[in-house]
Each structure stands twice: as structure tokens, then as C-alpha cells.
Amino acid sequence: MYIISQDNYFVSGMDKLLKNINPYAPHTLIVFDRGDGKVVFFSMHSLLLILAEQKNFHTFICTKFIKLDKCSPMSFMEYEVRKIITFLRGKEQEDHIREVHLSVVEYNIMTMILDGRPNSYIMEALNLDRKVVSNYKNAILRKLGLKSMAELIHIYQNWNACFCCTDGIVMPNIKLVPHAETNELKMIRCGTLKQDDVSPSSVM
């Protein structure tokens, strides 16, 4: 299992946990630190499908993944990760991604929020009053399992940082590169690769 996170302490702790579970396990699964205190688990195949989409972040945030609290005790995290590995084993190549279904209006509102548009812009663009926009926002948060739009924006910014994205979409000349000595996986721009960051075969 590969780890994708901007938190070096989390990477170090999760790396030790994974090596304790099985240091020789194939890297077919991903644990991604979402940036909001939750970590999500999915297959490498699913990640590559999401990154291949034109709307990378929108596909990600509307996908149902297994989630754990990042601050969980290590013993609980190890127990849960073992269960997750068992559950996901054999499902690595499945093309089907379970989706959260947003309506067209909900999707458009989410996109405008991620673009930094104020309420006044959303109301005018969609010809909706303030209360209706507020109701749509609440529906979006409920479907995504989030507490606030600020949380959504924070996850979005973390996604852009972790995957070298602009507006949620992977920039050109990017590779997913495994660290040579740990289970960490980083998105790195070609031309900025360091020799000690590159394993014998890069992912993308």
C-alpha cells in the first residue's frame, strides 16, 4: 500500500504500520491523507482512473471511499487497515467507482464555490435566491459527508498540492514516483526528480 500525504509525521507513522503488517505486500492500494483529518483508501487502478479524468478533483470528491479518522490510535488504525486490505484484495482492477450523485445544479454550485465565486455570483448565474442556494449547499455537504464549504475547499487545496494540480486537474509532465526507502508515493514534475526519490520503476 502506498501513502500520499503532505504530513511527514503521518507518512512516517503509516509507513511503520504498513511494514509491520506486511513489508513485502505489493503496492496495489493507496492510502490518501485528504487534508481534513480523514484518510481514504482505494486501489491504484482507481486513482489512475480518477487522474485520467478531465475533472480530476470533481471525480475524486464524488467518489465513495473507505475512510478512517487520521487521529485514530495506532492499534485501531492497524486493525482497520488489515481489514481494509483484506476487503480490497482482489478488487484492485475493478473499473466501477461508486459515486455520490449530485444534481446538475448542485454540481454547478460546487464548481463555482471551488472557483472562489461569491454567493451573489452564484445567485445571479443560476437565477436562484439566497435561501435556495443555501439549501443546495447543505445538500452538497450532506451527500459528500462534509461539515462545511470551508472543509470542501480545504480538501480541494490539499488535492491540488498533493497531485501537482491546477484547478483540480493534473498539470502536464507529472509522474507518480514511489520513494526508494518508504511506502510514500509523490506526484513530482518531470525535471525536478531527485535520485533518492526514484525507485526502479515509476508509476506514471
Side-chain angles (χ1 to χ4, degrees):
M1 184 178 287
Y2 278 126
I3 309 155
I4 300 176
S5 175
Q6 291 188 293
D7 182 345
N8 291 332
Y9 291 107
F10 175 74
V11 170
S12 176
M14 184 59 69
D15 184 58
K16 290 177 183 176
L17 184 151
L18 294 176
K19 287 177 177 176
N20 184 49
I21 291 175
N22 186 350
Y24 306 106
H27 289 93
T28 55
L29 302 175
I30 301 288
V31 52
F32 173 53
D33 178 2
R34 203 168 66 167
D36 66 333
K38 299 283 186 184
V39 291
V40 296
F41 298 80
F42 47 101
S43 71
M44 173 66 75
H45 186 64
S46 296
L47 174 62
L48 295 178
L49 283 176
I50 291 168
L51 294 177
E53 293 285 338
Q54 186 175 3
K55 289 290 186 182
N56 307 137
F57 177 78
H58 295 76
T59 305
F60 166 74
I61 200 62
C62 291
T63 300
K64 295 180 181 177
F65 294 120
I66 300 170
K67 301 185 191 74
L68 282 180
D69 287 329
K70 184 178 171 182
C71 61
S72 299
M74 192 58 71
S75 58
F76 176 79
M77 185 75 82
E78 181 173 345
Y79 173 75
E80 289 297 312
V81 169
R82 286 181 185 274
K83 285 203 316 185
I84 290 166
I85 290 173
T86 300
F87 175 76
L88 291 177
R89 187 176 291 132
K91 297 180 172 66
E92 293 94 335
Q93 297 300 317
E94 289 186 1
D95 288 339
H96 178 65
I97 297 176
R98 294 181 302 148
E99 296 179 356
V100 173
H101 295 290
L102 299 180
S103 69
V104 173
V105 176
E106 290 167 348
Y107 186 88
N108 288 339
I109 289 175
M110 183 182 74
T111 300
M112 291 180 194
I113 290 167
L114 295 177
D115 284 342
R117 303 294 187 180
N119 260 5
S120 57
Y121 178 93
I122 296 172
M123 291 163 55
E124 184 176 345
L126 300 178
N127 195 26
L128 300 171
D129 66 36
R130 186 179 300 275
K131 187 173 182 179
V132 173
V133 171
S134 178
N135 289 339
Y136 274 121
K137 285 183 176 181
N138 290 333
I140 293 166
L141 293 175
R142 186 181 68 253
K143 290 181 179 182
L144 297 180
L146 302 176
K147 296 176 182 177
S148 67
M149 286 298 165
E151 189 176 9
L152 172 64
I153 292 168
H154 184 68
I155 295 169
Y156 177 65
Q157 291 170 341
N158 182 70
W159 170 272
N160 284 334
C162 282
F163 292 101
C164 299
C165 294
T166 299
D167 299 329
I169 302 173
V170 176
M171 291 183 283
N173 302 318
I174 298 297
K175 282 186 178 290
L176 274 169
V177 180
H179 192 279
E181 299 176 358
T182 72
N183 290 292
E184 186 179 14
L185 186 66
K186 287 186 175 182
M187 207 85 164
I188 300 176
R189 299 182 192 183
C190 295
T192 63
L193 299 178
K194 297 179 182 177
Q195 194 60 39
D196 61 346
D197 278 337
V198 182
S199 70
S201 60
S202 58
V203 178
M204 273 181 82

